[in-house]
């Protein structure tokens, strides 16, 4: 009679042993556009890193024979040259270095700040929560683009400072998100268990609660990279961000706008780079959202 | 929704705006140097004159005193004088307000007119080629750098084909509506573009949710024609959450006009902002920032009210 009391539980066990990580991968690879986005970003990053190997020119090297008039794209100058005889392809490649690093670093700063503020507010509640969230409301009440323009227009920042400015003004969404997660997760049994065992506040917040709230944070960080790249380009386009001769996609467009009639190719390529990068980031973020959403 | 609630919300905006004023005041004092630095290199301005000017402008007072003075003056309508033009800040801004309202308003309605049908179409034909096409386009719209799109359209319509003017609001000496519309076309289109993308996504998801509800199935089951179910029963309910998003974005359109107005030399407050930035015209900058925040806070309240007005199930008290 022993056969009857032990039915084969095989199919159930297969589902149960799938780790969150495996489940994430399985959903993520189904999102084709997210994979394409990831691929584009990896290529973009490699191209930026390997810029000195990919091009024979330097970003401020001038060809004195053709100075004064931009040259259209040709075999030796893939994207043409600008009015100072510099190779446009090289400048776009080096521009990727600044644009990508500004985008990624300021998104990380914004996430760090937002996570910290949201975690403190959601964990401690009470007056700390009120204080932090009212402050968040205040910052959210100021139109973002004009505020960023105002701050960096007055300070005329270096690249590092610009990263800090964009990061310091982009944490509000993450803070609200993390606070919401913390408010609900702090009531779970495992938090209570850790508290009963004498776990410190810091340990409970960042070892126990935060890892369970990481999904939405990853998605918002990804999307923040896109908006940071956009902000930096807009600032540099207006002449208030990264200053020439250091090229970024934004200030390349700024100088190209004066040559729109005679040398439109100078404006086409940097803009396409911004568009493709931000598009890739948004597709990646969408795929991550689908894969990390526990409801799927 | 009672008058009481409205009053409470309006009163609630006051501490928020005071907070905003404190942050903006702080931001302005981040800048290295003082407004007096313009004269620092000028040998004909003596140290004595500088000190006198400092006292006259109140810059010798401690920061909290300066802030209190500024904030009381600001909230009583004393916005001071522009450093660049020496005219009252109020005049500077009101002169520039109208063009921005024309541009922002027309792009707002243009975006609404395109986004709602696109979102509905996307939802009704969910997972069809049309849906994927519209979704892809809206991703493109969200990821598009407006300043680049502006340059490209300028290049095509104004430089290559020469069918639209590339900048300005009016041709000098001409005062017709057609002329205004020709100048308006490109900037309004570009300003509308990003919102179409965002709003149509939102409209789609709201519509998808409503279409899956019981009363829609009931309407279909009792034999109502498809169009009537979609436009009479579903659309009206699906629009409710969209109202909130659209209202919230209205203030954003006005501040987003900073870049578009600059590229198209549109004489609105966005361009005034950049001009004042380049001229370090702090009184105008502060007033514009406060005005932008005020618009944002008020549209927030209006969005909540509109939501309650559209959906009788929502009650505030």
């Amino acid at each position: 009679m022993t056969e009857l009391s032990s039915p084969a539980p095989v199919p159930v066990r297969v589902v149960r042993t799938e780790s969150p990580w495996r489940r994430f991968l399985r959903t993520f690879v189904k999102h084709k556009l997210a994979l394409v986005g990831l691929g584009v970003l990896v290529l973009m990053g490699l191209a930026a890193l390997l810029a000195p190997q990919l091009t024979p020119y330097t970003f401020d090297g001038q060809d004195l024979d053709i100075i004064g008039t931009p040259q259209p794209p040709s075999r030796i100058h893939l994207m043409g040259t600008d009015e100072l005889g510099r190779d446009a392809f090289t400048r776009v490649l080096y521009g990727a270095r600044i644009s990508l690093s500004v985008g990624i670093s300021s998104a990380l700063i914004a996430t760090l700040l937002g996570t910290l503020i949201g975690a403190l507010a959601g964990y401690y509640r009470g007056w700390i929560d009120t204080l932090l969230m009212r402050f968040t409301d205040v910052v959210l009440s100021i139109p973002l683009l004009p505020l960023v323009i105002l701050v960096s227009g007055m300070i005329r920042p270096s690249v590092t400072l610009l990263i800090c400015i964009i990061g310091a003004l982009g944490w509000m969404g993450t803070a609200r998100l993390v606070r919401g997660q913390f408010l609900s997760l702090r009531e779970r049994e495992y938090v209570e268990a850790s508290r009963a065992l004498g776990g410190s506040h810091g340990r409970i917040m960042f070892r126990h609660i935060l890892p369970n709230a990481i999904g939405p944070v990853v998605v918002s960080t990804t999307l923040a990279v896109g908006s940071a790249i956009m902000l930096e380009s807009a600032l540099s386009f207006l002449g208030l961000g990264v200053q020439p001769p250091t090229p970024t996609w934004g200030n390349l467009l700024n100088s190209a706008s004066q040559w729109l009639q005679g040398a439109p190719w100078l404006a086409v390529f940097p803009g396409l780079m911004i568009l493709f990068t931000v598009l890739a980031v948004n597709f990646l973020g969408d795929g991550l959202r689908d894969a990390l959403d526990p409801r799927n | 929704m009672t008058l009481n609630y409205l009053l409470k919300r309006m009163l609630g905006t006051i501490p928020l705006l005071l907070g905003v004023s404190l942050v903006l005041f702080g931001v302005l004092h981040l800048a290295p140097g003082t407004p007096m630095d313009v004269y620092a290199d000028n040998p004909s301005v003596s140290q004595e004159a500088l000190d006198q000017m400092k006292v006259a402008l109140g810059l010798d007072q401690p920061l909290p005193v300066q802030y209190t003075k500024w904030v009381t003056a600001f909230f009583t309508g004393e916005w001071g004088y522009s450093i660049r033009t020496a005219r009252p800040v109020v005049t500077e801004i009101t002169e520039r307000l109208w063009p921005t309202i024309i541009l922002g308003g027309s792009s707002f309605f243009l975006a609404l007119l395109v986004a709602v049908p696109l979102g509905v179409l996307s939802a009704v034909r969910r997972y069809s080629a049309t849906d994927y096409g519209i979704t892809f386009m809206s991703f493109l719209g969200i990821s598009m750098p407006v300043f680049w799109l502006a340059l490209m359209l300028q290049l095509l319509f104004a430089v290559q084909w020469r069918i639209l003017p590339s900048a300005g609001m009016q041709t000098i000496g001409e005062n017709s509506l057609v002329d205004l519309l020709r100048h308006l076309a490109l900037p309004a289109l570009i300003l509308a573009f990003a919102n179409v993308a965002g709003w149509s996504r939102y409209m789609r998801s709201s519509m998808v949710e409503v279409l899956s509800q019981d009363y829609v199935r009931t309407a279909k089951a009792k034999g109502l024609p498809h169009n009537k179910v979609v436009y009479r029963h579903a659309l009206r309910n699906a629009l409710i959450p969209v109202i909130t998003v659209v209202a919230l974005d209205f203030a954003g359109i006005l501040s987003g006009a900073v870049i578009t107005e600059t590229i198209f030399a549109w004489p609105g407050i966005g361009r005034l902002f950049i001009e004042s930035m380049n001229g370090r015209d702090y009184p105008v900058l502060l007033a514009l920032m406060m005005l932008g925040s005020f618009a944002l806070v008020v549209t927030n309240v209006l969005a909540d009210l509109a939501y309650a007005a559209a959906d009788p199930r929502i009650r505030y008290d």
Side-chain angles (χ1 to χ4, degrees), chain B residues 28-40:
Chain B
L28 276 195
H29 284 84
L30 277 179
T34 67
M36 318 294 301
D37 288 357
V38 210
Y39 306 107

Side-chain angles (χ1 to χ4, degrees), chain A residues 138 140-143 146 149 151 153-154 230 233-234 237 253 260-261 264 267-268 271-272 274-275 279 282-283 286, chain B residues 16 19-20 27-28 136 139-140 143-145 147-148 151 155 162 258-259 263 273 277 280 282 289 292-293 296-297:
Chain A
V138 165
L140 274 176
S141 302
I142 307 174
I149 292 176
V151 175
M154 281 187 329
M230 204 74 111
S233 320
F237 174 75
L253 276 178
L260 202 56
Q261 197 147 6
V268 170
L272 278 180
I274 302 173
L275 174 62
L279 194 61
N282 284 338
F283 280 139
D286 198 49
Chain B
L16 209 54
V20 167
V27 161
L28 276 195
F136 188 82
F139 264 96
L140 210 61
S143 316
M144 182 70 75
F147 41 95
W148 182 66
L151 287 181
L155 181 65
R162 297 179 182 283
V258 167
I259 292 175
I263 296 178
F273 182 78
M277 192 70 245
R280 304 237 155 188
Y282 294 130
M289 290 300 297
S293 308
L296 210 58
V297 169

Side-chain angles (χ1 to χ4, degrees), chain B residues 36-59:
Chain B
M36 318 294 301
D37 288 357
V38 210
Y39 306 107
D41 298 331
N42 192 337
S44 60
V45 181
S46 68
Q47 187 59 41
E48 220 169 70
L50 275 179
D51 290 342
Q52 267 177 9
M53 220 183 292
K54 222 171 165 184
V55 174
L57 291 172
L59 292 171

